[in-house]
Amino acid sequence: MSFTALHRAVGATPGPLTDDLLDAAVAAGTTEANDLDWKGDLPPAKGLTQTDFPKDVAAMANSGGGLIVYGVEESQKAATGRVDAGEFDETYERTLRSAAITAISPPVFGLNVHRLEGGGKRAIAVEVPASIDGPHLIYRNDYFGAPIRNDSDTVWMKERQIEAMYRARFEERRHASEALDALFGEASAGRDSDTRAWLIAVAHPRIPRFRDRTTRDMARYVLSETERLALTYASRNGGVHPLENVDRNNPRPGLRRWVAVSMAIGDHSSWKEAWMSIHHDGSVTLAAAVGGHRKSRDTYFEGWEVASSAIECAIADVMALLRTTAEATENEEYDVRVGIEWTGQEPLTILTTDNFGRTYDGVSTPLYRYTPVETTVNAVESPLDYHWHVHDLAQDCVNQGGISNVQVIQPPARSDPEAPPLTWTRGH
């Protein structure tokens, strides 16, 4: 669900962007605003980057996001009727998204394109997300500028405005780093990292969307969907999944979050202890013991010895949790941090396996400190692209210990068909 300028104009509650909603807004003579721009015909697909489309998208992104609607006539900035916007197909939609990336710097990702057809009059609504990467610039030949919405008009920023927006960008990055620091500190607190290594992974939405508080049923559903998705990244046969060692059916309430507590405490399975949390703002955390795992029935690795498969399975789980939580809480871009906490005397060692499946440390690089790996991901991008992000993050994490390749997370071929997207309804 979304809440756009059209919803606001007609007094509608958050929900899908529909043809009826557009008709109601046009009938009401809704006027353009900072977050709403009426357009008639679609610009030509050929040479789209040289049209006003990049400028309009950049202006919306620089102004906190908004809606550009093609297929509406206007007079004195007020909608007067609908017209046919023109031919629109999947190729054209890809061209729109490409222009928002290639003709704007930094790129504007995450456009939502809605096709609306009423009475044979096609309309296209381009939903531009809010951005913390402003100012977004467009280039024309040797010149560049930063457009911004001024009520119903698009104007060019002055130098002081550009300076202020850059300052805001750096301030937002500082806040984002502080948010990750706080999550990481909470997730790692109290772990016995002096006796065994712990993998700590946290993710925070770059622009949290505070909607309804997450319910226990929603948290339970998210954890169930997470298991299904995680196993498409890394199978059960590859290693120990932290997700399978938390109580997914009975998440407990925490401070503005739900916590899936470990089921591996105080018995012979304590070596695979794990904890997960889903926050109401869409943040997620994972703390999983990865050192001292069992090698065979009666033997265990030392606390500083970490199998690369344990790292891969943990990343598959937390990235699946991130994606399912993002869909449930309607978040998109996330900052992610993955680290391994070890405070013992011996250097941390990441182990792999040889061609016969035996544990092998011949290529391991002893680590006296594991440097946390950070990345930014779009949690609602295509399943194929997201799978590659999971793979690349895991590879970065094991590379640090001298391991060249991941073994459990097998990346799909670039040409493979995409997996079906997740679906979520708030009424679940």
Side-chain angles (χ1 to χ4, degrees), residues 146-173:
I148 192 170
R149 295 286 291 177
N150 179 20
D151 193 26
S152 60
D153 297 315
T154 296
V155 298
W156 298 100
M157 289 187 196
K158 305 300 183 185
E159 181 183 10
R160 287 186 179 276
Q161 290 175 292
I162 295 176
E163 178 187 1
M165 191 160 280
Y166 272 118
R167 190 182 302 116
R169 182 201 291 186
F170 300 143
E171 189 70 8
E172 287 291 347
R173 286 183 178 175

Side-chain angles (χ1 to χ4, degrees), residues 211-249:
R211 304 289 193 191
D212 301 330
R213 290 172 69 91
T214 308
T215 65
R216 177 181 271 111
D217 282 344
M218 186 189 297
R220 187 181 293 118
Y221 175 83
V222 166
L223 289 166
S224 173
E225 287 296 289
T226 295
E227 180 185 19
R228 179 181 66 83
L229 182 59
L231 293 176
T232 68
Y233 302 144
S235 71
R236 283 190 174 91
N237 297 328
V240 177
H241 281 267
L243 184 65
E244 297 190 322
N245 296 298
V246 300
D247 190 352
R248 300 185 302 277
N249 295 320

